[in-house]
Short mmCIF file of all heavy atoms in Angstrom, two decimals:
data_model
loop_
_atom_site.label_atom_id
_atom_site.label_comp_id
_atom_site.label_asym_id
_atom_site.label_seq_id
_atom_site.Cartn_x
_atom_site.Cartn_y
_atom_site.Cartn_z
N HIS A 1 91.33 86.59 -107.97
CA HIS A 1 92.09 86.92 -106.76
C HIS A 1 93.15 87.99 -107.01
O HIS A 1 94.00 88.24 -106.14
CB HIS A 1 92.74 85.65 -106.20
CG HIS A 1 91.75 84.64 -105.70
ND1 HIS A 1 91.20 84.70 -104.44
CD2 HIS A 1 91.19 83.56 -106.31
CE1 HIS A 1 90.36 83.69 -104.28
NE2 HIS A 1 90.33 82.98 -105.39
N MET A 2 93.11 88.64 -108.18
CA MET A 2 94.13 89.63 -108.54
C MET A 2 93.54 91.02 -108.79
O MET A 2 94.20 91.87 -109.39
CB MET A 2 94.89 89.17 -109.80
CG MET A 2 95.70 87.91 -109.61
SD MET A 2 96.32 87.24 -111.19
CE MET A 2 97.49 88.50 -111.65
N GLU A 3 92.34 91.27 -108.30
CA GLU A 3 91.67 92.53 -108.61
C GLU A 3 92.44 93.75 -108.13
O GLU A 3 92.32 94.83 -108.71
CB GLU A 3 90.26 92.53 -108.01
CG GLU A 3 89.33 91.51 -108.63
CD GLU A 3 87.95 91.53 -107.98
OE1 GLU A 3 87.80 92.23 -106.95
OE2 GLU A 3 87.05 90.83 -108.49
N ASN A 4 93.24 93.59 -107.10
CA ASN A 4 94.00 94.72 -106.55
C ASN A 4 95.37 94.90 -107.20
O ASN A 4 96.15 95.77 -106.77
CB ASN A 4 94.18 94.54 -105.04
CG ASN A 4 92.86 94.53 -104.30
OD1 ASN A 4 91.92 95.23 -104.68
ND2 ASN A 4 92.78 93.73 -103.24
N PHE A 5 95.65 94.11 -108.24
CA PHE A 5 96.99 94.14 -108.83
C PHE A 5 96.88 94.23 -110.36
O PHE A 5 97.14 93.25 -111.07
CB PHE A 5 97.77 92.90 -108.41
CG PHE A 5 97.81 92.69 -106.92
CD1 PHE A 5 96.93 91.81 -106.31
CD2 PHE A 5 98.71 93.40 -106.14
CE1 PHE A 5 96.95 91.62 -104.94
CE2 PHE A 5 98.73 93.22 -104.77
CZ PHE A 5 97.85 92.34 -104.16
N PRO A 6 96.49 95.39 -110.87
CA PRO A 6 96.25 95.52 -112.32
C PRO A 6 97.47 95.24 -113.19
O PRO A 6 97.33 94.71 -114.30
CB PRO A 6 95.78 96.98 -112.47
CG PRO A 6 96.27 97.68 -111.23
CD PRO A 6 96.23 96.65 -110.15
N ARG A 7 98.67 95.59 -112.72
CA ARG A 7 99.85 95.32 -113.54
C ARG A 7 100.14 93.82 -113.61
O ARG A 7 100.62 93.31 -114.64
CB ARG A 7 101.06 96.08 -113.01
CG ARG A 7 100.97 97.59 -113.25
CD ARG A 7 102.12 98.36 -112.61
NE ARG A 7 103.41 98.03 -113.18
CZ ARG A 7 104.57 98.52 -112.73
NH1 ARG A 7 104.58 99.34 -111.68
NH2 ARG A 7 105.71 98.18 -113.31
N ALA A 8 99.84 93.11 -112.53
CA ALA A 8 99.98 91.66 -112.55
C ALA A 8 98.96 91.04 -113.50
O ALA A 8 99.28 90.10 -114.25
CB ALA A 8 99.83 91.09 -111.15
N VAL A 9 97.76 91.56 -113.49
CA VAL A 9 96.73 91.07 -114.41
C VAL A 9 97.15 91.32 -115.86
O VAL A 9 96.93 90.49 -116.74
CB VAL A 9 95.37 91.75 -114.13
CG1 VAL A 9 94.35 91.38 -115.20
CG2 VAL A 9 94.86 91.35 -112.75
N ALA A 10 97.79 92.46 -116.09
CA ALA A 10 98.20 92.81 -117.46
C ALA A 10 99.20 91.80 -118.03
O ALA A 10 99.09 91.39 -119.19
CB ALA A 10 98.79 94.22 -117.49
N VAL A 11 100.19 91.39 -117.23
CA VAL A 11 101.16 90.41 -117.76
C VAL A 11 100.52 89.04 -117.90
O VAL A 11 100.83 88.28 -118.83
CB VAL A 11 102.45 90.34 -116.90
CG1 VAL A 11 103.23 91.64 -116.99
CG2 VAL A 11 102.15 89.98 -115.45
N LEU A 12 99.62 88.70 -116.97
CA LEU A 12 98.89 87.43 -117.08
C LEU A 12 98.06 87.40 -118.35
O LEU A 12 98.09 86.42 -119.12
CB LEU A 12 98.00 87.23 -115.86
CG LEU A 12 97.12 85.97 -115.88
CD1 LEU A 12 97.97 84.71 -115.80
CD2 LEU A 12 96.10 86.01 -114.74
N ASN A 13 97.31 88.47 -118.61
CA ASN A 13 96.50 88.54 -119.82
C ASN A 13 97.36 88.48 -121.07
O ASN A 13 96.98 87.87 -122.08
CB ASN A 13 95.68 89.83 -119.82
CG ASN A 13 94.55 89.82 -118.80
OD1 ASN A 13 94.18 88.75 -118.30
ND2 ASN A 13 94.01 90.98 -118.50
N ALA A 14 98.52 89.12 -121.00
CA ALA A 14 99.40 89.16 -122.18
C ALA A 14 99.85 87.76 -122.59
O ALA A 14 99.85 87.41 -123.77
CB ALA A 14 100.60 90.05 -121.91
N VAL A 15 100.26 86.94 -121.60
CA VAL A 15 100.73 85.60 -121.97
C VAL A 15 99.56 84.69 -122.30
O VAL A 15 99.69 83.79 -123.16
CB VAL A 15 101.61 84.98 -120.86
CG1 VAL A 15 102.84 85.84 -120.62
CG2 VAL A 15 100.85 84.76 -119.56
N ALA A 16 98.42 84.88 -121.64
CA ALA A 16 97.24 84.07 -121.97
C ALA A 16 96.81 84.34 -123.41
O ALA A 16 96.52 83.40 -124.18
CB ALA A 16 96.10 84.38 -121.00
N ASP A 17 96.78 85.61 -123.79
CA ASP A 17 96.43 85.95 -125.17
C ASP A 17 97.50 85.45 -126.14
O ASP A 17 97.19 84.93 -127.22
CB ASP A 17 96.28 87.46 -125.32
CG ASP A 17 95.07 88.01 -124.56
OD1 ASP A 17 94.19 87.20 -124.20
OD2 ASP A 17 95.02 89.23 -124.33
N GLY A 18 98.77 85.61 -125.75
CA GLY A 18 99.86 85.20 -126.63
C GLY A 18 99.90 83.72 -126.90
O GLY A 18 100.28 83.28 -128.00
N ILE A 19 99.53 82.91 -125.91
CA ILE A 19 99.55 81.46 -126.07
C ILE A 19 98.26 80.94 -126.67
O ILE A 19 98.16 79.78 -127.08
CB ILE A 19 99.84 80.77 -124.72
CG1 ILE A 19 100.52 79.40 -124.94
CG2 ILE A 19 98.57 80.61 -123.89
CD1 ILE A 19 101.95 79.48 -125.36
N GLY A 20 97.23 81.82 -126.72
CA GLY A 20 95.93 81.40 -127.24
C GLY A 20 95.14 80.59 -126.25
O GLY A 20 94.52 79.57 -126.60
N TRP A 21 95.14 81.03 -125.00
CA TRP A 21 94.57 80.25 -123.90
C TRP A 21 93.12 79.84 -124.13
O TRP A 21 92.71 78.73 -123.79
CB TRP A 21 94.68 81.05 -122.61
CG TRP A 21 94.29 80.28 -121.38
CD1 TRP A 21 93.09 80.30 -120.74
CD2 TRP A 21 95.10 79.35 -120.66
NE1 TRP A 21 93.10 79.45 -119.67
CE2 TRP A 21 94.33 78.86 -119.59
CE3 TRP A 21 96.41 78.90 -120.81
CZ2 TRP A 21 94.82 77.93 -118.68
CZ3 TRP A 21 96.90 77.98 -119.89
CH2 TRP A 21 96.11 77.50 -118.85
N THR A 22 92.33 80.72 -124.71
CA THR A 22 90.90 80.44 -124.88
C THR A 22 90.60 79.64 -126.15
O THR A 22 89.44 79.29 -126.40
CB THR A 22 90.09 81.75 -124.91
OG1 THR A 22 90.57 82.57 -125.99
CG2 THR A 22 90.25 82.50 -123.60
N LYS A 23 91.64 79.36 -126.93
CA LYS A 23 91.45 78.59 -128.16
C LYS A 23 92.00 77.18 -127.98
O LYS A 23 92.98 76.98 -127.26
CB LYS A 23 92.16 79.28 -129.32
CG LYS A 23 91.68 80.71 -129.58
CD LYS A 23 92.52 81.37 -130.66
CE LYS A 23 92.10 82.82 -130.86
NZ LYS A 23 92.95 83.51 -131.88
N PRO A 24 91.40 76.21 -128.63
CA PRO A 24 91.89 74.83 -128.48
C PRO A 24 93.33 74.70 -128.98
O PRO A 24 93.70 75.25 -130.01
CB PRO A 24 90.93 74.02 -129.36
CG PRO A 24 89.71 74.87 -129.50
CD PRO A 24 90.20 76.29 -129.48
N ALA A 25 94.13 73.96 -128.23
CA ALA A 25 95.49 73.68 -128.67
C ALA A 25 95.48 72.55 -129.69
O ALA A 25 94.47 71.85 -129.86
CB ALA A 25 96.35 73.30 -127.47
N LYS A 26 96.60 72.38 -130.36
CA LYS A 26 96.72 71.27 -131.30
C LYS A 26 96.61 69.95 -130.55
O LYS A 26 96.95 69.86 -129.36
CB LYS A 26 98.06 71.35 -132.03
CG LYS A 26 98.21 72.55 -132.95
CD LYS A 26 99.58 72.55 -133.61
CE LYS A 26 99.75 73.75 -134.53
NZ LYS A 26 101.09 73.78 -135.19
N PRO A 27 96.12 68.89 -131.22
CA PRO A 27 96.03 67.58 -130.55
C PRO A 27 97.36 67.17 -129.93
O PRO A 27 98.41 67.26 -130.57
CB PRO A 27 95.62 66.64 -131.70
CG PRO A 27 94.92 67.52 -132.68
CD PRO A 27 95.64 68.85 -132.61
N GLY A 28 97.31 66.75 -128.67
CA GLY A 28 98.51 66.31 -127.98
C GLY A 28 99.33 67.41 -127.36
O GLY A 28 100.36 67.14 -126.74
N VAL A 29 98.90 68.66 -127.53
CA VAL A 29 99.61 69.80 -126.97
C VAL A 29 98.82 70.35 -125.79
O VAL A 29 97.60 70.51 -125.87
CB VAL A 29 99.83 70.89 -128.03
CG1 VAL A 29 100.46 72.14 -127.41
CG2 VAL A 29 100.73 70.37 -129.15
N PHE A 30 99.53 70.66 -124.70
CA PHE A 30 98.88 71.13 -123.48
C PHE A 30 99.54 72.41 -122.99
O PHE A 30 100.72 72.65 -123.25
CB PHE A 30 98.93 70.03 -122.41
CG PHE A 30 98.26 68.77 -122.84
CD1 PHE A 30 98.96 67.80 -123.55
CD2 PHE A 30 96.92 68.55 -122.56
CE1 PHE A 30 98.34 66.63 -123.98
CE2 PHE A 30 96.28 67.38 -122.96
CZ PHE A 30 96.99 66.42 -123.68
N ARG A 31 98.77 73.21 -122.26
CA ARG A 31 99.25 74.53 -121.85
C ARG A 31 99.28 74.69 -120.34
O ARG A 31 98.51 74.06 -119.61
CB ARG A 31 98.34 75.62 -122.45
CG ARG A 31 98.39 75.69 -123.96
CD ARG A 31 97.31 76.58 -124.51
NE ARG A 31 97.40 76.71 -125.96
CZ ARG A 31 96.37 76.93 -126.76
NH1 ARG A 31 95.16 77.06 -126.24
NH2 ARG A 31 96.55 77.04 -128.06
N GLY A 32 100.16 75.55 -119.91
CA GLY A 32 100.24 75.93 -118.51
C GLY A 32 100.76 77.34 -118.40
O GLY A 32 101.41 77.84 -119.33
#
């Protein structure tokens, strides 16, 4: 839903990559 907002996508991608969104978190740790 953000295709028209590339700069918004850029900050979203930055924090997703920084937190390791696509990688499993440690047991008992959850992300948002």
Side-chain angles (χ1 to χ4, degrees):
H1 294 276
M2 295 169 68
E3 294 179 352
N4 297 326
F5 307 98
R7 289 175 65 184
V9 173
V11 293
L12 176 67
N13 289 344
V15 299
D17 293 343
I19 207 74
W21 187 262
T22 59
K23 301 175 183 178
K26 294 179 180 180
V29 174
F30 301 87
R31 294 170 177 151

